[in-house]
Amino acid sequence: MSQATLTATHPVPLNSLTDDEILFRDNIRQFAEEKVRPLAREMDEKAMFDHDLIEQFFQLGLMGIEIPEQYGGGAGTFFEAILAVEELSRVDASAGVLVDVQNTLVNNALLRWGNEEQKKHYLPRMAADTCGAYALSEAGSGSDAFALQTKAELKGSDYVLNGRKLWITNGKEAGLFILFASIDLSAGYKGITAFIVEKDFPGFSVGKKEDKLGIRASSTCELILEDCRVPRTNVLGEAGKGYKIAIETLNEGRIGIGAQMAGVARGAWEYAAKYAQQRKQFGKTIADFQGIQFQLAQMATEIEASRLMVYNTARMKDAGMNFVKEAAMTKLFCSQVAERVTSLAVEIYGGYGFTKDYPVEKYWRDSKIGKIYEGTSNMQLATIAKLVLSGK
Ligand SMILES: Cc1cc2nc3c(=O)[nH]c(=O)nc-3n(C[C@H](O)[C@H](O)[C@H](O)COP(=O)(O)OP(=O)(O)OC[C@H]3O[C@@H](n4cnc5c(N)ncnc54)[C@H](O)[C@@H]3O)c2cc1C
């Protein structure tokens, strides 16, 4: 297996952060503890994200981390966006994914593929007050995303879009959608085109919101396009090249989901470790038993490995290296670890862990999505297999 290598004069450990990154992370950690944690259970129960919290995300600069200063953003790095997703997810995975989709999918797509007019028009809004969503999946096209059936027909200066999108994260809150439709279904993936669609465009509406197992506060919605008129100038990148935008944006997004899962695992572990040191059975705390110690040690080791994968892949992206294989591995592994760790956390709490009076069952429910969205585990394995078997 060949390995792309970046030479460095002074290599540093994978978990080392700059002073600015430490400050950034600590601010978000404090915010997550003070503002997000008190709301997490209620938002999960109501399956509703707190609107004021989203406003605070904007005020803190969390919704435009990488957007350059000239467009009103934080001019930060992809790595910082990843730190934000990890820290928020440690407290609430729904908060993590809201910020993740905004930064790693929507803003990234606009930054990378938008023309100057589009950047000037949309990026300041993304940094200030507009939530974004990324709409690729449909009822009949999930893993086989390029089998999408939403059509876009050019009529005068507008494209007219017809079809339905399913499972769209932030669907309820979003004002802007990066939405994929085909300008020529007979051309297969070469017809796929990315459009910037605003919530208020005529013919656009948000349909059913899903009632889910986990990340319940994150809205997951159907989008309905009935003769939806989108100005021709709102094609993102080139017409017919949307498949490239979808693939490349999702490659970056997968690092974000890795970070979300690393955060979820860490949040559950912290609860389990604390509980184990308080709960007494047989006259001792359960953390005095080697059986529990070994479980906590194994969980901590796996969390460390996931986090190092996330950090390394994010650094590769910021360094301009090819990270496709590493991003797929990161998402695959972090979601496996999150499911194992959160499940064990429920067991360490015993019967209490199985109730909604304690926080760990939510972490377990929230972990499950990591293996499904932005490409299922099988799809990650397919990508990894293709690359490693061809020597990349
Ligand atoms: C909560 C949530 C949020 C989401 N957010 C978004 C979003 O914001 N935007 C968006 O566009 N989409 C979103 N999705 C959609 C998500 O990306 C898809 O659900 C996912 O890609 C899987 O597609 P599917 O559900 O159609 O499953 P299918 O593709 O039908 O897969 C079903 C099973 O078959 C397996 N499978 C399929 N093909 C193969 C194969 N070739 N080899 C081996 N196994 C295979 C899969 O691994 C899976 O286990 C979201 C989904 C959920 C549940």
Side-chain angles (χ1 to χ4, degrees):
M1 212 188 306
S2 71
Q3 191 74 43
T5 311
L6 187 71
T7 54
T9 331
H10 300 292
V12 291
L14 290 179
N15 58 0
S16 53
L17 306 184
T18 65
D19 290 346
D20 283 351
E21 287 165 350
I22 291 170
L23 191 65
F24 180 82
R25 182 202 58 192
D26 291 351
N27 280 341
I28 298 170
R29 190 172 289 177
Q30 190 184 350
F31 169 78
E33 284 298 344
E34 288 174 5
K35 306 289 182 190
V36 184
R37 202 184 288 283
L39 296 173
R41 168 58 69 188
E42 191 187 339
M43 293 197 301
D44 178 71
E45 276 166 11
K46 290 187 175 159
M48 188 82 74
F49 208 88
D50 186 278
H51 199 263
D52 290 346
L53 205 49
I54 301 179
E55 272 190 35
Q56 292 175 56
F57 290 165
F58 279 109
Q59 281 159 17
L60 261 184
L62 292 181
M63 299 297 266
I65 295 170
E66 282 182 272
I67 294 178
E69 263 171 33
Q70 74 203 83
Y71 305 114
T77 58
F78 184 78
F79 188 84
E80 284 173 346
I82 289 307
L83 281 180
V85 173
E86 186 196 355
E87 285 305 324
L88 290 171
S89 304
R90 169 179 163 259
V91 167
D92 180 39
S94 292
V97 77
L98 191 143
V99 166
D100 175 68
V101 167
Q102 178 89 2
N103 285 281
T104 74
L105 297 182
V106 180
N107 293 349
N108 249 329
L110 291 170
L111 278 168
R112 172 116 187 254
W113 308 94
N115 58 37
E116 195 46 43
E117 280 305 298
Q118 292 168 339
K119 286 185 191 173
K120 267 197 215 146
H121 188 61
Y122 288 112
L123 289 176
R125 291 162 63 176
M126 303 314 289
D129 58 12
T130 305
C131 221
Y134 180 88
L136 177 64
S137 304
E138 298 180 4
S141 61
S143 299
D144 187 10
F146 295 160
L148 61 82
Q149 293 297 307
T150 298
K151 285 189 288 196
E153 213 184 325
L154 189 58
K155 286 190 180 164
S157 59
D158 291 343
Y159 275 98
V160 177
L161 272 57
N162 278 289
R164 280 170 186 240
K165 293 284 166 187
L166 202 62
W167 312 118
I168 308 310
T169 299
N170 294 355
K172 190 166 165 287
E173 296 81 11
L176 179 142
F177 298 78
I178 304 290
L179 189 145
F180 296 85
S182 176
I183 52 167
D184 179 4
L185 286 173
S186 68
Y189 74 90
K190 289 187 176 161
I192 295 172
T193 303
F195 294 90
I196 305 170
V197 178
E198 295 183 34
K199 180 177 81 175
D200 299 329
F201 281 177
F204 178 88
S205 59
V206 177
K208 181 182 168 234
K209 177 169 159 269
E210 304 296 336
D211 185 6
K212 308 192 299 295
L213 170 78
I215 55 163
R216 288 175 53 76
S218 161
S219 68
T220 309
C221 302
E222 182 184 29
L223 307 180
I224 302 165
L225 300 135
E226 283 172 337
D227 288 333
C228 172
R229 297 195 83 89
V230 179
R232 195 178 180 166
T233 48
N234 273 31
V235 168
L236 183 66
E238 271 178 66
K241 291 281 170 61
Y243 70 93
K244 200 169 151 56
I245 299 179
I247 292 175
E248 297 194 10
T249 311
L250 283 171
N251 282 336
E252 298 174 7
R254 281 173 193 142
I255 312 174
I257 302 306
Q260 184 199 27
M261 290 296 120
V264 165
R266 196 154 55 87
W269 186 90
E270 287 168 0
Y271 274 116
K274 196 166 164 204
Y275 183 81
Q277 290 170 85
Q278 289 165 351
R279 171 71 174 168
K280 285 194 172 153
Q281 289 292 283
F282 304 97
K284 298 172 175 182
T285 69
I286 58 170
D288 286 327
F289 299 115
Q290 199 178 50
I292 297 283
Q293 289 172 11
F294 282 9
Q295 284 179 322
L296 287 167
Q298 178 70 34
M299 291 152 81
T301 305
E302 293 187 20
I303 293 168
E304 178 74 3
S306 355
R307 196 185 210 184
L308 295 181
M309 284 179 91
V310 171
Y311 287 8
N312 189 50
T313 314
R315 294 279 192 217
M316 287 176 81
K317 148 111 180 71
D318 278 334
M321 298 170 76
N322 184 324
F323 57 87
V324 175
K325 180 185 72 185
E326 287 77 4
M329 288 175 163
T330 298
K331 179 182 180 285
L332 176 77
F333 185 72
C334 293
S335 58
Q336 291 171 342
V337 167
E339 198 178 84
R340 271 199 298 274
V341 165
T342 55
S343 174
L344 269 170
V346 172
E347 290 172 38
I348 287 174
Y349 267 73
Y352 300 104
F354 204 62
T355 72
K356 288 190 185 282
D357 293 336
Y358 290 84
V360 280
E361 61 82 33
K362 175 178 177 295
Y363 280 92
W364 185 44
R365 288 187 286 106
D366 286 347
S367 76
K368 190 68 217 178
I369 192 59
K371 290 184 170 180
I372 298 172
Y373 58 14
E374 298 202 27
T376 64
S377 289
N378 277 358
M379 291 300 104
Q380 307 309 321
L381 287 166
T383 301
I384 298 162
K386 195 168 116 195
L387 292 170
V388 296
L389 292 173
S390 63
K392 289 186 180 139

